[in-house]
Amino acid sequence: MSQYHADYTNFQVSISREQALKQLIESYEALCDGQNNWVSNLSNLSSLLWHCYKSLQLNINWAGFYVLDNNTTNKNEQQLILGPFQGKVACQLIPFGKGVCGTCASTLKTQVVKNVHEFPGHIACDGKTKSEIVVPIINQVANKCIGVIDIDCLDYDGFSQEIDGKYLEILARKIVETCKF
Ligand code: SME
């Protein structure tokens, strides 16, 4: 346990992306110990993601979550709603199947987008974003998407499936284990 909560956002500058993401997962586990409120846990996790990628010198532009909107009137048309995040304000509703986040939600597959301008239907919340990774948070029992992790970068080719995809998918499973939605 760190002395101060804020200490968890200190990542060493010289570590690899793999080491930093492992540290992020360990910090998340420590911070959500005894707490299953999804707003609270994902708020701290947005901060961890932001500071983790900043420490890796990645030109991160946005880091956060969209979750399944349970208040939609039309149950046949599922949509995501904006959750906790770090960065500038963003669009609040994304229908399943639309944009990178909606595609991730409907396919249940991680989307690593090296150039957002080449992704059909990409939703530009900020015209400066050039690449993006979106990872599904899946309720395995129902085989249903309950949210997504979304991270945007100001440079092309900001993320890889091999490292970012791998560790963010582990993180998504931890979120399912630790949060009550
Ligand atoms: N670009 C995303 C929308 C969310 S913002 O990037 C925060 C998309 O196409 O789904």
Side-chain angles (χ1 to χ4, degrees), residues 96-107:
F96 273 42
K98 298 274 192 266
V100 186
C101 293
T103 300
C104 174
S106 58
T107 60

Side-chain angles (χ1 to χ4, degrees), residues 54-122:
K54 278 277 173 203
S55 77
L56 291 165
Q57 314 284 309
L58 191 81
N59 256 333
I60 191 173
N61 194 29
W62 200 89
F65 299 88
Y66 283 87
V67 297
L68 183 64
D69 182 11
N70 292 314
N71 292 324
T72 178
T73 43
N74 186 348
K75 293 283 172 208
N76 296 321
E77 287 179 19
Q78 292 189 298
Q79 61 183 2
L80 296 165
I81 188 161
L82 183 64
F85 68 94
Q86 298 259 315
K88 294 182 181 172
V89 295
C91 62
Q92 285 174 284
L93 295 175
I94 301 178
F96 273 42
K98 298 274 192 266
V100 186
C101 293
T103 300
C104 174
S106 58
T107 60
L108 300 177
K109 294 266 182 287
T110 295
Q111 307 290 311
V112 178
V113 182
K114 294 180 185 303
N115 178 354
V116 295
H117 304 299
E118 290 175 355
F119 190 96
H122 166 253

